[in-house]
């Protein structure tokens, strides 16, 4: 049998056409791909990755599917296929494809708490795009790297990377807009709510101009955070609910859970713990399923606070201990310190000021040099206030009278 016309050739042609059809479907689906199509598309991608002749279609299909898998919470699948994609790029000497998959894998590593691996992947991807002279994609990766650094309170590095990205993206409206988004996150880190509000409004306008519903939804969520920081609670609730509705349309379950967490924190601040608890309990399983350690740490911290307020102390302690462990793994020292401080408050409720004092001291130690850093004054002042309350509640020990001792 002639292999150019026989069964092997027919099979090869079928895989290539199937991969191209799947790619066309993903590209034409708009922001949301029907949930039932993921399994079929991954099945097609599996065959295409095993066929060298189908590599161009397999690469483009994986490039298009990767971010969608992440938003849909299918991170285990995304992780596996992106790692295989990098291996295939190396075999095919496809430097552009490798840089793209390294960038996407970096995002997954960051989301699952593997921050140093994420940083290494972003570095490799940015260097590769720079070597290829691809300034827009280099800027995109630098922006993603800057955002990662904001999550770990590496403010100077984040600002430097964002500035570099924006200089590279001078003619690229998308990356300039993402740079504003990152700078807004930095302003939140420093509790400069007015600057954050301005930057997130600019970013939202940019995403609307670019007609990017995924980033519009994310910017609405961040805008809500800035509005809450400014004390504009009704506006914040409106922004959060807009983001939740848009993410529902997009099938973006992971970021939707994050907005529910933010909306729950707003309800808690407004003295509505039951509404807050309901939102936290909706968000927690999504973060757990998607192995999103940092956000899982955040929702456990919030659960601990609201359980404490409701007097459900065993549940509060379990949630806070989980938050501390996850926060440390993700490198978020502020969040770990916050949970340690709340554990101190829990022990105060239990009538044990000595244990409370130990937890408050641990919270200050967790922050280390960040104690004097910008944006930490409020947290440090709160811990110190709790510490003084614990000291004031300590029992006074009266020395024994030596004349009455035996």
């Amino acid at each position: 049998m002639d292999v150019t016309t026989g069964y092997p050739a027919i099979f090869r042609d079928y895989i290539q056409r199937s991969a191209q059809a799947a790619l066309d479907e993903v590209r034409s689906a708009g922001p949301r791909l029907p949930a039932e199509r993921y399994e079929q598309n991954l099945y097609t991608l599996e065959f295409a990755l095993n066929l060298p002749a189908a590599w161009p279609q397999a690469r483009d299909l994986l490039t298009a599917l990767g971010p969608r898998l992440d938003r849909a919470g299918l991170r285990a699948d995304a992780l596996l296929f992106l790692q295989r994609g990098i291996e295939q790029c190396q075999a095919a000497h496809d430097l552009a494809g490798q840089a793209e998959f390294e960038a996407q894998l970096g995002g997954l590593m960051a989301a699952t708490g593997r921050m140093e691996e994420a940083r290494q992947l972003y570095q490799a991807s940015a260097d590769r795009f720079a070597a290829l002279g691809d300034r827009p994609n280099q800027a995109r990766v630098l922006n993603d790297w800057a955002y990662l650094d904001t999550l770990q309170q590496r403010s100077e590095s984040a600002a430097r990377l964002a500035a570099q990205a924006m200089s590279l993206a001078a003619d690229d409206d998308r990356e300039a807009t993402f740079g504003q988004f990152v700078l807004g996150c930095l302003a939140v880190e420093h509790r400069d709510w007015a600057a954050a509000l301005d930057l997130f409004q600019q970013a939202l306008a940019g995403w609307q101009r670019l007609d990017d519903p995924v980033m519009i939804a994310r910017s609405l969520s961040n805008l809500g955070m800035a509005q809450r920081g400014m004390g504009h609670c009704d506006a914040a609730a409106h922004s959060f609910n807009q983001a939740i509705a848009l993410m529902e349309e997009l099938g973006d379950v992971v970021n939707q859970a994050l907005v529910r967490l933010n909306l729950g924190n707003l309800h808690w601040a407004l003295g509505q713990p039951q509404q807050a608890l309901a939102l936290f309990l909706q968000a927690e399983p999504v973060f757990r399923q998607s192995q999103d350690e940092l956000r899982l740490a955040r929702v456990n911290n919030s659960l601990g606070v609201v359980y404490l307020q409701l007097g459900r102390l065993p549940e509060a302690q379990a949630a806070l201990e989980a938050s501390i462990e996850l926060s440390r793994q993700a490198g978020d020292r502020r969040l770990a310190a916050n949970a340690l401080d709340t554990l101190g408050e829990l022990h105060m409720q239990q009538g044990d000021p000595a244990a409370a004092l130990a937890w408050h001291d641990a919270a200050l130690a967790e922050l280390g040099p960040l104690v004097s850093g910008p944006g930490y004054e409020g947290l440090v002042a709160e811990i110190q206030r709790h510490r003084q309350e614990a000291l004031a509640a300590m029992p006074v020990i009266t020395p024994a009278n030596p004349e009455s001792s035996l």
Side-chain angles (χ1 to χ4, degrees), residues 199-219:
L199 285 160
F200 287 141
Q201 285 173 333
Q202 290 183 54
L204 177 59
W207 297 125
Q208 289 169 334
R209 188 168 57 251
L210 291 163
D211 193 23
D212 187 330
V214 172
M215 291 306 299
I216 289 171
R218 288 182 65 185
S219 287

Side-chain angles (χ1 to χ4, degrees), residues 53-72:
W55 170 242
Q57 294 88 354
R59 178 197 57 214
D60 293 348
L61 179 57
L62 179 53
T63 299
L65 270 178
R68 294 172 181 270
L69 293 170
D70 180 21
R71 293 194 298 270

Side-chain angles (χ1 to χ4, degrees), residues 345-369:
E345 291 300 283
L346 183 149
H347 283 281
M348 281 292 286
Q349 282 200 23
Q350 292 177 324
D352 189 349
L357 182 62
W359 286 112
H360 298 318
D361 286 342
L364 291 172
E366 185 74 28
L367 288 174

